Amino acid sequence: MSSATVNKISSEHGSIHKDELHPDHPDDYLREGERWATEEDMNTLRRVGDRLPVAALFVVLTEFCERFTYYGITGPFQNYIQNDYKIPGSDPGAINGGQSMATGLGNFFQFWCYLTPIFGAVIADQWLGKYKTILLFGCIYTLGDLILTLTSIPASIRHGGALPGLIIAMITIGLGTGGIKSNVSPMVAEQYGRYRPFVRKLKNGTEVLVDREVTVQRIFNWFYWAINVGGLSAIATTEIEANYDFWPAYLLPTCMFVVCVTVFYLGRSKYVITKPTGSIILKAYKVITAGIKNHRAAKAENRLIVNETTNKPINWLLYAKPSYNVAGLNMDWDDKFVEELSIAVRASKIFLCYPVFWLCYGQMSNNMVSQSGQMITGKVPNDIMQNIDPLVIIILIPVFDFVIYPGFRRCGLELRPVTRITCGFLVAAIAMAYAAVLQHFIYKTGPYFEHPSEKVNGVHQGNNNISAAIQVPAYILVAIAEIFASVTGLEYAYKKAPESMKSIVMSLFLLTNAGGSILAFCFNSISTNPHLVKNFAIAGGLMGAFTVLFYICFRHYDQQDQDEYLGQLEFEK
């Protein structure tokens, strides 16, 4: 470790023990009064998270601004596309495309936004690194915001410019989102540089175990909290849309994104910035191909290798190790890379059930918005209802972080990732079941029954006489499902990905959201009256079935991950 590194750590953290540094992470350190954890400490002391570094707070603030922009522009989308412009007595609108077009374009935008992170991850890993990639794609994002704002002015809407402008803006903003989303999540966790568990004495004399796993869980909890604080921008933009017009509603998030890029740039001197290591996609493909060939050769020659611990054959991918090169292939990688890739592939398996979760989550920003537009909302815009979700998350994440999760730890019951994700999937299924029952009662209530808030024989129908307040529990359930499933998915993607693959694994997790949008396209024909009961019921049924399937397939991961984590630690003797 260089003297410059020691001086930097000393100046930021006070006195450290220079002779007790983590072997794989030489910038790891102990502050005065701290010591490395022993195996006994790991088994007896209460696990807590560490304080968040200032650099992480800068990245969190950047994500807040970006999500303020994203949700600020998408909040009015359903009305903007579905309804006609300036029709007295009806919800705001611009394009008059109907509910099916609105839901379809909304699903396309979500699909595009979560497909493009693959491109952002490759650019960051191969050429620019996370920091420069976020700045570059931030500029592209800003261009898309400007296009949307300018094409939503009254003259553009009246002359047919709103729809083509919206599509161009969606493509541009989605590209910008991809470059940011795949890199900002791993970058926020990289700002915490302490890897080895250590013991800290509290002011009351109690010793606690400060654990990186708990700290990373806390970082992603607060990262997601910032996302949802930013998501409240839809309250402002839907109010502006309802009381003024769409162009000022879109101008507000556009201005905020300029603040986003500025804030991120100002924190540049504080970030831990990792250099690009080269894209591993092509290399991973070669490793997978080699693993298949070597495994076949070993099987044909009856030379399969058995794990001495489990007494079972090793995974086929491990045959890509140069040390297991049965087929005599040319290999330009080492055993460690194969082991890292194997961990990444195993971790990515849990993402396979997420598209159904995102299908359910996506109902909140399209069909549930239209659902509230069929009920009595008083003077409140129908599309403001979706903001209940981020409001609940803002309230509940501190409760989960400071009360619920620590409470389970004190009882000796750790809610590990697969358990939390299973809970999230189950709650999402219940939310869709509630929405289906609610839609049934909407259709049973007059005066418009199965055709509220739509044109019938050229006549615009009004709302049914049922209060939108009873929709609130559905949004609360979706929020709880997000805390369990979405936050944990982000955390798991980061923790299980090797250092060289964090952006790629994170982008694969985000890609599951695009998968949810593809599923939503299949629902487009029933995403309109009078079929919405069927729409919500099928989504809820699928989520329930995949909840059971997920738990059956992955319930053993929690214990395996814990055993691997403890096995990687080095304790004082």
Side-chain angles (χ1 to χ4, degrees):
M1 181 178 182
S2 69
S3 59
T5 304
V6 172
N7 291 337
K8 180 181 177 182
I9 296 175
S10 298
S11 64
E12 291 181 359
H13 305 288
S15 300
I16 63 169
H17 296 280
K18 299 177 184 178
D19 57 339
E20 293 191 274
L21 301 171
H22 194 282
D24 296 325
H25 301 279
D27 285 351
D28 212 346
Y29 55 86
L30 286 173
R31 294 189 182 98
E32 194 66 37
E34 299 173 346
R35 60 178 175 81
W36 296 127
T38 64
E39 190 167 4
E40 182 181 357
D41 295 328
M42 292 291 295
N43 294 325
T44 58
L45 296 182
R46 178 166 61 93
R47 298 166 69 219
V48 300
D50 203 358
R51 296 179 288 270
L52 304 189
V54 173
L57 298 179
F58 263 90
V59 182
V60 167
L61 184 58
T62 300
E63 180 67 0
F64 157 76
C65 295
E66 189 275 330
R67 290 290 92 180
F68 183 102
T69 304
Y70 179 86
Y71 288 110
I73 63 174
T74 56
F77 268 1
Q78 191 78 1
N79 281 349
Y80 187 69
I81 303 167
Q82 178 174 337
N83 305 320
D84 206 349
Y85 189 55
K86 298 292 185 181
I87 300 298
S90 66
D91 291 323
I95 295 173
N96 193 28
Q99 184 174 345
S100 290
M101 178 190 281
T103 301
L105 281 176
N107 288 330
F108 161 75
F109 182 61
Q110 185 172 334
F111 166 79
W112 178 241
C113 285
Y114 289 96
L115 175 66
T116 53
I118 293 290
F119 307 129
V122 171
I123 290 172
D125 289 342
Q126 181 72 50
W127 295 293
L128 299 181
K130 297 181 184 67
Y131 172 74
K132 291 182 179 179
T133 300
I134 292 172
L135 280 181
L136 172 63
F137 281 82
C139 295
I140 297 173
Y141 199 127
T142 305
L143 176 62
D145 291 335
L146 289 171
I147 292 171
L148 179 63
T149 303
L150 293 173
T151 56
S152 64
I153 62 176
S156 175
I157 293 174
R158 291 193 176 98
H159 289 85
L163 181 58
L166 174 68
I167 293 173
I168 295 171
M170 281 182 165
I171 293 171
T172 309
I173 293 170
L175 185 61
T177 299
I180 295 171
K181 290 294 290 181
S182 59
N183 293 294
V184 72
S185 302
M187 186 173 176
V188 71
E190 286 174 357
Q191 305 313 304
Y192 182 71
R194 309 186 74 176
Y195 289 81
R196 186 175 177 180
F198 60 91
V199 175
R200 174 183 293 156
K201 183 175 289 188
L202 303 179
K203 291 181 179 180
N204 61 8
T206 304
E207 286 191 330
V208 292
L209 178 76
V210 183
D211 186 22
R212 179 176 175 81
E213 278 205 341
V214 179
T215 304
V216 169
Q217 179 182 336
R218 168 169 289 180
I219 287 172
F220 280 107
N221 276 336
W222 288 100
F223 181 77
Y224 208 79
W225 184 86
I227 287 174
N228 284 276
V229 173
L232 293 178
S233 61
I235 296 176
T237 56
T238 51
E239 283 287 348
I240 295 171
E241 154 215 339
N243 296 297
Y244 297 98
D245 210 335
F246 284 98
W247 72 265
Y250 292 139
L251 179 61
L252 174 62
T254 299
C255 293
M256 176 56 83
F257 198 75
V258 176
V259 175
C260 168
V261 176
T262 304
V263 167
F264 185 71
Y265 177 75
L266 291 175
R268 65 193 183 282
S269 63
K270 300 182 181 296
Y271 299 139
V272 174
I273 297 178
T274 56
K275 295 180 179 180
T277 57
S279 178
I280 54 89
I281 293 180
L282 180 59
K283 190 175 180 179
Y285 171 76
K286 291 179 180 178
V287 169
I288 291 171
T289 303
I292 293 172
K293 290 180 178 178
N294 270 336
H295 181 258
R296 287 176 179 173
K299 190 174 183 180
E301 299 174 16
N302 198 25
R303 295 170 59 186
L304 292 176
I305 302 169
V306 176
N307 187 306
E308 295 180 358
T309 304
T310 63
N311 202 30
K312 295 180 179 179
I314 65 171
N315 186 277
W316 62 268
L317 186 57
L318 296 180
Y319 283 89
K321 289 183 176 182
S323 58
Y324 295 164
N325 193 3
V326 179
L329 304 174
N330 292 325
M331 298 180 173
D332 58 354
W333 56 83
D334 56 17
D335 284 7
K336 183 180 179 182
F337 181 82
V338 178
E339 291 171 356
E340 289 180 343
L341 182 61
S342 177
I343 293 171
V345 169
R346 176 179 175 273
S348 298
K349 288 179 182 178
I350 76 162
F351 302 158
L352 294 175
C353 293
Y354 266 90
V356 180
F357 172 78
W358 295 123
L359 168 69
C360 298
Y361 172 82
Q363 303 298 313
M364 182 181 65
S365 58
N366 45 56
N367 288 320
M368 287 175 67
V369 172
S370 298
Q371 184 184 66
S372 60
Q374 300 169 1
M375 298 185 284
I376 303 298
T377 61
K379 296 182 179 180
V380 177
N382 69 301
D383 49 4
I384 205 172
M385 296 291 289
Q386 60 190 301
N387 292 284
I388 295 169
D389 171 79
L391 276 171
V392 172
I393 289 175
I394 290 167
I395 294 168
L396 288 186
I397 277 184
V399 175
F400 273 77
D401 191 41
F402 293 118
V403 180
I404 295 177
Y405 291 149
F408 274 97
R409 289 189 201 106
R410 287 190 178 95
C411 297
L413 300 172
E414 183 79 23
L415 290 180
R416 299 204 173 276
V418 170
T419 303
R420 281 180 270 148
I421 294 169
T422 303
C423 292
F425 287 175
L426 178 61
V427 176
I430 295 171
M432 291 301 99
Y434 183 91
V437 173
L438 174 57
Q439 190 66 50
H440 170 76
F441 281 105
I442 292 173
Y443 286 157
K444 291 296 182 182
T445 305
Y448 303 103
F449 300 102
E450 293 186 340
H451 299 282
S453 299
E454 61 183 57
K455 284 185 178 179
V456 177
N457 297 325
V459 179
H460 188 274
Q461 308 294 293
N463 299 344
N464 284 338
N465 293 326
I466 183 170
S467 173
I470 62 175
Q471 195 187 36
V472 171
Y475 283 107
I476 293 175
L477 289 168
V478 172
I480 294 172
E482 278 189 80
I483 294 173
F484 277 124
S486 185
V487 177
T488 306
L490 285 171
E491 171 199 336
Y492 195 84
Y494 174 79
K495 287 197 304 187
K496 300 306 294 182
E499 292 294 331
S500 61
M501 305 180 192
K502 291 196 181 297
S503 291
I504 288 294
V505 175
M506 189 64 70
S507 67
L508 290 176
F509 173 68
L510 296 172
L511 187 63
T512 63
N513 207 314
S517 298
I518 293 175
L519 288 177
F521 282 123
C522 301
F523 282 66
N524 222 35
S525 61
I526 56 173
S527 294
T528 186
N529 294 324
H531 309 296
L532 287 173
V533 173
K534 187 185 298 183
N535 174 87
F536 292 123
I538 293 175
L542 279 174
M543 189 72 264
F546 272 83
T547 300
V548 175
L549 178 65
F550 176 85
Y551 185 72
I552 291 174
C553 293
F554 300 111
R555 65 186 186 277
H556 60 286
Y557 269 33
D558 280 342
Q559 188 59 51
Q560 283 185 10
D561 291 341
Q562 176 67 1
D563 292 343
E564 288 175 7
Y565 174 66
L566 293 175
Q568 291 169 0
L569 299 177
E570 297 180 23
F571 301 104
E572 292 179 339
K573 299 299 182 182

